[in-house]
Amino acid sequence: MAAPKLRIDNVALRFRSRTGAPVTALENISLVVEDKEFSVIVGPSGCGKTSLLRLVAGLIEPTEGSISLDNTSINGPGKDRGMVFQSYTLFPWLTVQNNVEFGLRIAGIPAAQRRETSRRYIAQVGLTGFERLYPKQLSGGMMQRVALARALANAPAILLMDEPFGALDSQTRSLMQEMLLDLWQGSHKTVLFITHDIDESILLGDRVYVMTARPGRIKEMVEIDLPRPRTVEMLTSDAFMAIKRRIMHSIHEEAMRSVAIERT
Amino acid sequence: MASLLDAYVSPKKEIPRQAYAGVSTVAVAVVIALWCVLSYGGFVRSDFLPTPHDVAMAAINGLNDGSLLINTGASLTEIISGFIIASVFAVPLGILMGSFKIVEAALEPVTNFVRYLPVSALIPLLILWVGIDIEEKISVIFIGTFFQQLIMIADVSRGVSQDLLDVSYTLGAGRRTVVWRVLIPATLPGVMDTLRVTLGWAWTYLVVAELVAANKGLGYFILNSMRGLFTDQIFLGIIVIGLLGLISDQGFKLLRNRLLPWAV
């Protein structure tokens, strides 16, 4: 078997809080993401999952351990790791099209080719006809679609998604999940996706890593053997429920443990 | 009756455009009417409160003998020069100060000291150093507006979302690109607002400077009129300053909507 796309090896992240107290945000994190695989990290808020994604993006550096993409050690951010944030991060002064073309423009790609690429990805996220609008004229779901198209237009080796649908209402979130499933089915992009929503993790992922809090650790890895293509109807199937029970149990155990720690 | 109250006096609720314009017109009319009643009605002595007619005559006289235009022109030259020089330095330095800790460390102590000095306290020193000509007025306006602009623009720059910069790095941007293509555009609406507010303050500093020592300008015009008890001219000077302020403010508003149509 080929080497994994992304390898996170024994990573720890420690820093000092404002009061000077040492904080261990992440400890002993090891995981791999195989090529063309959709991996999900699920965990409670504050478990350090966003920090883990930022480490992979190269926006922060690990205190211990190493992270490599295609066998190359990660050293700072780069366009081979496209990222979609939970907050709205479109450039307000650029139209939808120019937002999607941002990465291509700084890479010096000629205008005709940029246009061709942006048109394709705007179509993939279902926003054809909205190219000339500014972000303030879009809904939250539409902004996240543009952010996804912008990341994909750069042709990253891996797509990092940090709770991208976390700020959306539940109906919009369902629609976005379906769109992402469709899109992934067509491209089999390598994805590392972060969420606190167990349903979302099972629906989207080939593998789900369950994280624990304080310090953040990977508790277990669950292979999701639900058939693809997947649809939101699967959310109520028996197979889905069985996986959900297992993950919920795992997270629940962890929640009880951390409550017990806080009491002492 | 209750429904009318609901429609027009609920907090934050929009009212019809015509109603808005109507209320504004009536409010201005009431002020003018009150002025007319008090002055024409003889309730206040004419050397305290001139009639609108007196002020109009003063305006015509001022235009005829050229004094109004000379003084207005002098004030405008001083304020535009001082304001532009202050802005040219404050905008880039403020953007850097808000986003680069090293610049903040260098500028903040001095800025915070000078910022709380009333500029009027520096006028005697400035007269000693640069005399009472246009250079002194420009210096007063510069010192009065520059430090305020610096702090306010630094705040705007500090407020640019970290995620917006981070997403740019993941799209392949380097530091220089992030500053020019992301940080600076992101500050523009706030910079325009700061300029608009500080231009109003610049008028205050100018008039203070002209009241202390000057041989032309609207502040000088007002002070000189007081010496002769020409209240009609005092009123004329005040009204001209008010109108110029109103025009420049609307100009800024128009410019912002024109240059930054994407801003909320």
Side-chain angles (χ1 to χ4, degrees), chain A residues 54 57 59 77-79 81-83 85 87 89-93 102-103 105-106 134 136 150-151 154, chain B residues 161-174 177 181-183 185-186 260-264:
Chain A
R54 292 171 65 84
L59 296 168
K79 63 177 182 171
R81 285 150 288 140
M83 186 150 167
F85 291 70
S87 63
T89 54
L90 295 187
F91 304 116
W93 56 94
F102 183 87
R105 186 183 286 266
I106 54 183
Y134 285 104
K136 71 165 178 179
R150 180 176 63 181
N154 243 3
Chain B
S161 128
Q162 180 71 45
D163 283 352
L164 207 61
L165 306 189
D166 283 345
V167 81
S168 316
Y169 288 119
T170 68
L171 288 166
T177 311
R181 294 243 174 129
V182 182
L183 179 62
L260 313 170
W262 48 269
V264 183

Side-chain angles (χ1 to χ4, degrees), chain B residues 35-44:
Chain B
W35 180 17
C36 291
V37 169
L38 290 176
S39 57
Y40 290 121
F43 293 101
V44 181

Side-chain angles (χ1 to χ4, degrees), chain A residues 145-193:
Chain A
R145 283 166 191 253
V146 179
L148 178 59
R150 180 176 63 181
L152 289 172
N154 243 3
I158 185 170
L159 183 62
L160 310 174
M161 305 185 81
D162 182 13
E163 293 203 48
F165 312 142
L168 306 175
D169 63 79
S170 61
Q171 282 87 350
T172 309
R173 192 182 312 155
S174 283
L175 288 172
M176 296 292 284
Q177 289 163 351
E178 285 193 311
M179 180 213 62
L180 185 60
L181 282 171
D182 267 4
L183 213 144
W184 189 83
Q185 199 64 40
S187 68
H188 281 263
K189 196 98 201 152
T190 311
V191 180
L192 182 56
F193 189 104

